[in-house]
Amino acid sequence: MSEFLHPLLTFFRELLIYGGVFALLALVVKRRAVFDAMTKCRQEAGTNLGLAALNALVVVPLFAIPATALAAFLDGKGYFGGFWDRLPEIPVLLLTIVLIDFVAYWRHRLEHDRALWRFHATHHADTAIHWLSVQRKHPVAKIISLFFDLSLVIALGLPPWAIFGATLIRGAWGHFIHADVPWTLGAFGEVLVSPAAHRLHHIRDERLMGTNYGNTITLWDKLFGTWCNPAPYLDCETGIEEGTRGIWGELKRPWEARYRQPAKTIDEIPDKFSA
């Protein structure tokens, strides 16, 4: 029983750490308005925690099976043998982040296509976006991200320590960019995805959902024409036309009748919004 609950307990220990950090951030930034903000996101935060627990308990352990099989097949070396071991650690770590972000960028863009949007819509449903919004993922969407995001770096034989470190950094940054703060990060926001840039991706206006797909760096958005300056859209309204749901509603969402009907082109980006 303890082995069964171990992934869940580990996950919630990490969430407690994040919770402490973002609680302090909220107190510093929002001050007296912090309680209004907590009340506003209370119900959606409960849904997000429920989905996070389900994914940690069921989806993540299941993913360990194919990941272990792939690692065994590649014998821990991938297609470049011990090449990475001869390079300095910091460049290897940075390269790992860039490569994971590259795969995640295209996975994210595909999730905005009609075929996969039904599963990704859950992530966009928060009307009061906050740091826990990063955990609002339908189990199918969680499986897709786990299966694809690390595939390239595993296949290239990047060291396990680098993959683990990159995953920790990207995970922490993913929580940060969902925080309810209007920060563009100034000059750093030209290189790193900011909370303001990612909030724009969650904007209620579906035309602008087709921008700023990156998790950590802006490189791939700028290279492939999906970057949009968030400065004119600070504190924009978030959510989707289909509305928010409780945890059971989010689990059922992909099979609602609306998703079997012709859909809008969510990935369409008007010229005036492109970089």
Side-chain angles (χ1 to χ4, degrees):
M1 185 66 176
S2 60
E3 292 182 0
F4 177 72
L5 293 177
H6 181 70
L8 188 62
L9 295 175
T10 300
F11 176 73
F12 275 106
R13 278 199 296 268
E14 293 176 1
L15 278 191
L16 282 175
I17 295 172
Y18 284 130
V21 171
F22 286 104
L24 180 60
L25 177 63
L27 285 171
V28 171
V29 174
K30 298 182 180 298
R31 299 184 182 183
R32 294 182 180 179
V34 68
F35 295 107
D36 290 336
M38 290 173 62
T39 300
K40 185 179 179 182
C41 72
R42 177 175 55 86
Q43 288 186 329
E44 291 179 331
T47 298
N48 300 348
L49 279 173
L51 289 170
L54 178 64
N55 288 330
L57 190 61
V58 178
V59 176
V60 174
L62 284 177
F63 174 73
I65 298 173
T68 302
L70 178 61
F73 173 76
L74 296 173
D75 194 26
K77 298 297 184 181
Y79 293 105
F80 282 86
F83 171 75
W84 308 111
D85 297 331
R86 298 193 292 270
L87 299 180
E89 293 181 350
I90 296 300
V92 170
L93 177 61
L94 293 177
L95 177 63
T96 305
I97 293 173
V98 169
L99 291 177
I100 295 175
D101 253 38
F102 172 73
V103 176
Y105 169 86
W106 284 107
R107 181 264 303 161
H108 194 176
R109 282 194 67 167
L110 288 172
E111 286 179 322
H112 279 249
D113 187 71
R114 178 183 173 187
L116 294 180
W117 172 250
R118 61 174 58 201
F119 303 110
H120 188 59
T122 289
H123 182 64
H124 279 261
D126 270 353
T127 57
I129 193 169
H130 55 286
W131 68 276
L132 268 173
S133 297
V134 71
Q135 299 293 343
R136 191 185 185 96
K137 293 183 179 180
H138 191 279
V140 175
K142 184 70 174 178
I143 290 171
I144 291 171
S145 64
L146 287 173
F147 186 80
F148 285 102
D149 290 5
L150 299 181
S151 59
L152 179 60
V153 291
I154 292 175
L156 291 177
L158 280 140
W161 66 262
I163 296 174
F164 179 73
T167 301
L168 285 180
I169 292 170
R170 294 184 72 258
W173 200 259
H175 284 86
F176 172 62
I177 63 175
H178 285 85
D180 184 22
V181 289
W183 296 348
T184 63
L185 302 184
F188 292 105
E190 294 296 319
V191 178
L192 299 173
V193 176
S194 67
H198 194 70
R199 186 185 183 99
L200 175 56
H201 177 73
H202 281 260
I203 194 170
R204 177 63 183 80
D205 183 346
E206 294 188 10
R207 296 172 301 166
L208 286 171
M209 282 185 190
T211 63
N212 301 355
Y213 291 103
N215 175 88
T216 311
I217 58 175
T218 61
L219 172 64
W220 305 119
D221 278 298
K222 290 185 174 182
L223 188 61
F224 296 111
T226 54
W227 170 252
C228 183
N229 182 1
Y233 307 98
L234 300 182
D235 293 318
C236 60
E237 179 185 3
T238 63
I240 54 177
E241 179 183 353
E242 300 93 317
T244 190
R245 308 275 194 277
I247 182 170
W248 180 238
E250 291 297 349
L251 291 174
K252 296 190 301 180
R253 179 192 289 277
W255 292 276
E256 292 177 1
R258 70 174 69 243
Y259 296 109
R260 295 195 296 270
Q261 298 171 355
K264 299 176 182 178
T265 305
I266 298 167
D267 199 29
E268 180 181 356
I269 307 168
D271 290 342
K272 65 178 180 178
F273 295 130
S274 58

